[in-house]
């Protein structure tokens, strides 16, 4: 089955209010800007079917790919298609449904270049976070790294945060993009990203629109001489350059927590993760 990318709505880079975007509840291959759902074949499992598809498409095989957690807009086909639009590396992107235990997806204490308040991960014992596991080759990871200036890619080890694919395979390790700016605290607590399933989470969920409205209200309180006229006024100011994301990010520092309590074992490495 082929599903045109437009069926998944706008990319958050085009409309930040829809962050994290429409995320499929199944594994898929993104082939240029079209989505192909992945299912186990009649004679093998999901990964066998995936490897067969990669071979048929002339793409890098599984043995050359590494697991990268997609938990925010990177899991949305529309956003992924935009990120890889100008790179031949993104011809075939594999995203396999999975879960990570002991973490939750919350809002980061920064504003993206396009105006969204995006996601990051925090330690959350007892929570099982639904993710897509991007199985990417080195060039694809390079492109994704370049698209994430506000993040560093870090290794999450299975011993600390058990991760697995929906098809049953456990990952020895994976890498994830973690915010360089820490976790946004509103009323002293993180807010969970609505639209991302997190079984067992005890955090209050909020949509991107609700977060933007709250952040804009606080900005106007602290900047009475330069108030923003709601979300539309904020996005207009971001797009025109009248308001710089870096300035909002700097202001948000007083409402941040450094790293969300995650065990950080250093820079991201390209590992097979036991696939």
């Amino acid at each position: 089955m082929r599903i045109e990318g437009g069926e998944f709505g706008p990319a958050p880079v085009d409309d930040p209010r829809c962050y994290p975007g429409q995320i499929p509840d199944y594994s898929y291959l993104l082939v240029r800007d079209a989505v192909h759902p992945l299912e186990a074949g009649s004679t093998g499992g999901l990964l066998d079917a995936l490897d067969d598809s990669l071979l048929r498409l002339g793409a890098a095989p599984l043995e050359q790919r590494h697991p990268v957690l997609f938990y925010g807009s990177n899991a949305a086909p529309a956003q992924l298609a935009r990120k890889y639009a100008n790179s031949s590396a993104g011809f075939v992107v594999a995203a396999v449904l999975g879960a990570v235990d002991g973490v939750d997806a919350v809002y980061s204490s920064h504003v993206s270049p396009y105006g969204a308040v995006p996601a990051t991960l925090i330690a959350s014992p007892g929570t099982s976070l639904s993710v897509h596991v991007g199985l990417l080759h080195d060039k694809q990871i390079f492109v994704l790294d370049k698209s994430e200036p506000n993040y560093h890619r870090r290794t999450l080890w299975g011993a600390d945060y058990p991760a697995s694919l929906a098809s049953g395979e456990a990952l020895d390790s994976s890498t994830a993009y973690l915010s360089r700016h820490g976790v946004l605290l509103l009323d002293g607590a993180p807010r969970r990203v609505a639209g991302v399933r997190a079984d067992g989470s005890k955090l209050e969920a909020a949509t991107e629109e609700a977060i933007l409205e709250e952040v804009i209200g606080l900005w106007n309180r602290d900047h009475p001489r330069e108030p923003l006229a709601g979300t539309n006024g904020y996005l207009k100011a971001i797009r025109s350059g009248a308001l710089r994301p870096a300035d909002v990010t700097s202001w948000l520092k007083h409402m941040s927590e450094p790293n969300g309590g995650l065990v950080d074992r250093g820079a991201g490495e390209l590992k097979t993760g036991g696939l």
Side-chain angles (χ1 to χ4, degrees):
M1 181 193 305
R2 170 191 170 104
I3 305 173
E4 296 300 327
E7 296 294 319
F8 293 95
V13 69
D14 296 318
D15 184 359
R17 290 167 294 193
C18 77
Y19 187 94
Q22 292 188 32
I23 299 173
D25 59 357
Y26 49 80
S27 302
Y28 66 89
L29 274 178
L30 181 68
V31 183
R32 293 193 176 91
D33 60 351
V35 172
H36 298 255
L38 278 171
E39 296 179 352
S42 58
T43 59
L46 181 65
L47 292 185
D48 292 327
L50 172 57
D51 223 6
D52 289 344
S53 295
L54 294 173
L55 178 63
R56 187 174 65 254
L57 292 165
L62 273 180
E63 64 187 20
Q64 295 177 17
R65 293 173 179 259
H66 319 282
V68 180
L69 301 184
F70 292 169
Y71 61 88
S73 66
N74 284 341
Q79 188 85 329
L80 271 182
R82 286 296 304 274
K83 290 191 174 191
Y84 285 109
N86 297 317
S87 170
S88 60
F91 170 58
V92 180
V93 179
V96 178
L97 204 62
V100 187
D101 294 339
V103 301
D104 206 346
V106 299
Y107 289 96
S108 170
S109 187
H110 82 278
V111 170
S112 71
Y114 55 88
V117 178
T120 190
L121 295 179
I122 62 168
S124 181
T127 300
S128 181
L129 182 70
S130 292
V131 297
H132 280 77
V133 179
L135 300 175
L136 309 180
H137 57 70
D138 293 1
K139 290 182 179 179
Q140 289 177 329
I141 292 175
F142 177 79
V143 172
L144 208 54
D145 283 351
K146 293 294 185 183
S147 79
E148 302 287 4
N150 288 295
Y151 292 79
H152 43 213
R153 185 165 43 83
R154 290 291 185 259
T155 298
L156 297 184
W157 296 95
D160 299 318
Y161 307 105
S164 60
L165 305 181
S167 49
E169 294 83 359
L171 302 179
D172 295 334
S173 68
S174 57
T175 58
Y177 290 96
L178 306 180
S179 173
R180 297 177 183 272
H181 306 281
V183 175
L184 177 64
L185 301 180
L186 294 170
D187 297 324
R191 300 283 175 83
R192 184 168 65 80
V193 179
V196 179
R197 181 175 174 179
D199 294 336
S201 175
K202 296 178 175 61
L203 295 176
E204 177 185 350
T207 65
E208 178 71 18
E209 285 197 88
I211 290 294
L212 286 177
E213 289 175 3
E214 194 159 356
V215 167
I216 290 165
L218 293 170
W219 172 274
N220 288 346
R221 180 200 66 189
D222 291 352
H223 302 80
R225 295 184 179 180
E226 45 184 327
L228 298 166
T231 304
N232 288 337
Y234 161 79
L235 292 177
K236 183 178 179 180
I238 291 286
R239 289 165 180 157
S240 69
L243 181 65
R244 298 194 316 140
D247 291 338
V248 183
T249 297
S250 179
W251 166 74
L252 284 172
K253 282 184 179 179
H254 74 287
M255 295 186 285
S256 67
E257 180 181 68
N259 68 0
L262 283 170
V263 175
D264 187 348
R265 299 189 186 278
E269 303 169 17
L270 298 183
K271 291 186 174 291
T272 59
L275 288 177

